[in-house]
Amino acid sequence: MKKKYSIVFSITLFLPFLYFSFLSIFGISHQQGVNSNFYIFTVGFFNFLSLIIIGVYYFRKKVKLTYTNLLFYLIPLFFYLIYLIESPSNYAASRSFNMFLSFSLPGIFLGTFLGSNNFIHYIMKWIDIIVIVISVGTIISLPQIVRTDIINLGGVGYHSMSYFAALSYVLTLYLVLFGKNHQRFKYFNHNIINYIYVILIIFQLAAIFLSSGRGGFVTAILGTFVMFHYKLKKNFNFSKFLKFFFILLLAFFIIRSFVPSELEFLIDRGSQRVFSYISVRGVDLSETSGRDIVFSESIDFISEKPIIGYGFFSYIDNYIGKQYAYPHNFFLEVLLQRGVIYLFFWLTLFIIIYKKLKQGIKENDENLFILILSIYPITQLSVSGSYMMSGMFWFSISYIFNLKHLYKNRQMGKYRF
């Protein structure tokens, strides 16, 4: 595959983050947010372009699909047939299916294609630029928040800004700790880039707390824990760790000395909201923006049909009378769709995926990036959103499941099959 096509795949995978970050950088705000016509057109354009590139690659190379490849490529068709059979009658269900086609379908195709060909290095080539764009887009909105006390990142609110900042933080920290495992543009191979990234991390953490999003905070914490676990496990350098910690601490105090009191107040207020669900008694779900209510309602629905559920899309027909169109939790959504049978299917799948990824990381250090990237959908789908609409979730699963194992004596950039 020609490397110039890799930018199309990278944009397609990270499009929501890049799109609204660019809007923020240029001072533009779409009042319709994700419902903006131009955003919908942009998503469709890059999805179509990516699918064309994948199709042309298979046609020209005459690559034979494995049964696993074919199975994953047929997943969108499976859900399409299910949608036709169930014929849900409300707007929320049709929107769920349209969002699946817009984000999950390209995620499945990209993950399957890149995983089966070990092409993750094509995506990694652009991660530095992606991190910078998302970070700048997030950080540049901070002064406006201080002046107006309104969180608006190109048309999306505090919830999205929290996840944007958290994803950029996780990816930045990954580049600092494991960037040498990958082939990057030569401009990003200098040591000074790591020092710049350390400073960037301070602003990213500030944005997480300023946006007061709990999901973003959990993403950052989990990502930090996983990365340091692997770093300590493999080739921990105590002197480099002290150096990194010292620079991070120094940058924090220098930046803090220039922080206006208004901004410091907003960060403190955001921090209180981030930790508001933690009390002396443990986790207090009443402080989670109504999640206690939606979780309770979901459990009531599940108890009525625990074995087979209500249907992949038609469950929304029963659920639509409530405050939310979906339960904002992966396991509750799975149980609502097809009950404990479907839940057992996913638990089995997760065990297989865990084993495959563990072996993949053991054979190829670059595959650790997929684990780090999957932290975003793992945390998001625990407290927010729907897995049917998460491109990153389907990309991670498809990539790992279709991952072609390498010989252990691989050389950097040279893949032997």
Side-chain angles (χ1 to χ4, degrees), residues 329-376:
N329 176 272
F330 172 83
F331 296 104
L332 293 178
E333 184 174 11
V334 165
L335 286 167
L336 280 168
Q337 288 179 321
R338 280 304 169 195
V340 294
I341 297 175
Y342 192 44
L343 175 63
F344 179 77
F345 165 80
W346 274 108
L347 292 176
T348 304
L349 194 66
F350 286 149
I351 293 173
I352 297 172
I353 288 172
Y354 169 76
K355 291 181 178 179
K356 286 182 70 71
L357 182 58
K358 185 177 180 181
Q359 182 63 27
I361 294 173
K362 185 178 180 181
E363 295 178 354
N364 182 358
D365 293 335
E366 291 182 329
N367 287 323
L368 178 61
F369 171 73
I370 299 299
L371 173 61
I372 303 307
L373 192 63
S374 65
I375 289 172
Y376 171 80

Side-chain angles (χ1 to χ4, degrees), residues 43-110:
V43 169
F45 173 77
F46 278 99
N47 288 349
F48 178 75
L49 206 56
S50 294
L51 296 181
I52 288 294
I53 293 172
I54 292 173
V56 170
Y57 175 87
Y58 280 121
F59 178 77
R60 287 186 174 180
K61 297 289 184 179
K62 297 181 179 179
V63 179
K64 292 184 179 180
L65 296 176
T66 66
Y67 288 117
T68 305
N69 296 158
L70 189 60
L71 177 65
F72 272 79
Y73 283 135
L74 289 176
I75 286 176
L77 178 61
F78 167 78
F79 280 113
Y80 175 68
L81 294 175
I82 290 294
Y83 181 76
L84 291 179
I85 294 170
E86 294 183 354
S87 299
S89 59
N90 61 73
Y91 168 77
S94 62
R95 183 178 184 275
S96 175
F97 178 69
N98 290 332
M99 293 289 281
F100 173 81
L101 294 180
S102 299
F103 298 101
S104 301
L105 184 150
I108 293 168
F109 274 65
L110 284 176

Side-chain angles (χ1 to χ4, degrees), residues 25 44 166 187 205 356 416:
I25 292 172
Y187 310 105
L205 290 173
K356 286 182 70 71
R416 298 171 54 198

Side-chain angles (χ1 to χ4, degrees), residues 53-262:
I53 293 172
I54 292 173
V56 170
Y57 175 87
Y58 280 121
F59 178 77
R60 287 186 174 180
K61 297 289 184 179
K62 297 181 179 179
V63 179
K64 292 184 179 180
L65 296 176
T66 66
Y67 288 117
T68 305
N69 296 158
L70 189 60
L71 177 65
F72 272 79
Y73 283 135
L74 289 176
I75 286 176
L77 178 61
F78 167 78
F79 280 113
Y80 175 68
L81 294 175
I82 290 294
Y83 181 76
L84 291 179
I85 294 170
E86 294 183 354
S87 299
S89 59
N90 61 73
Y91 168 77
S94 62
R95 183 178 184 275
S96 175
F97 178 69
N98 290 332
M99 293 289 281
F100 173 81
L101 294 180
S102 299
F103 298 101
S104 301
L105 184 150
I108 293 168
F109 274 65
L110 284 176
T112 302
F113 176 71
L114 296 175
S116 59
N117 292 284
N118 290 102
F119 280 166
I120 194 58
H121 52 287
Y122 285 120
I123 297 291
M124 279 304 307
K125 196 83 172 176
W126 298 95
I127 289 298
D128 288 277
I129 296 175
I130 290 170
V131 161
I132 291 172
V133 171
I134 300 175
S135 298
V136 172
T138 304
I139 294 169
I140 208 169
S141 65
L142 298 185
Q144 178 189 0
I145 297 173
V146 175
R147 292 194 305 268
T148 65
D149 198 16
I150 297 174
I151 299 175
N152 183 356
L153 183 66
V156 294
Y158 79 92
H159 186 264
S160 296
M161 179 177 174
S162 168
Y163 280 113
F164 279 37
L167 179 66
S168 62
Y169 162 79
V170 168
L171 293 179
T172 304
L173 184 60
Y174 177 82
L175 290 171
V176 171
L177 297 177
F178 304 99
K180 291 184 178 180
N181 291 342
H182 300 276
Q183 296 179 15
R184 300 155 71 185
F185 288 114
K186 62 180 181 179
Y187 310 105
F188 297 105
N189 287 322
H190 300 290
N191 289 330
I192 192 172
I193 292 296
N194 281 345
Y195 297 119
I196 295 174
Y197 280 171
V198 169
I199 297 174
L200 205 58
I201 284 173
I202 300 296
F203 286 100
Q204 292 162 348
L205 290 173
I208 292 173
F209 285 105
L210 188 61
S211 63
S212 65
R214 305 179 187 91
F217 173 74
V218 175
T219 301
I221 291 296
L222 182 59
T224 302
F225 174 80
V226 172
M227 280 185 276
F228 275 102
H229 167 75
Y230 273 92
K231 195 65 179 177
L232 293 170
K233 182 179 177 182
K234 193 152 192 180
N235 54 352
F236 179 68
N237 188 312
F238 186 70
S239 61
K240 286 186 177 181
F241 173 77
L242 282 180
K243 189 177 181 181
F244 167 79
F245 182 76
F246 175 76
I247 294 172
L248 186 65
L249 200 62
L250 182 63
F252 171 77
F253 283 112
I254 292 175
I255 293 172
R256 193 176 186 278
S257 64
F258 292 99
V259 171
S261 57
E262 296 89 347

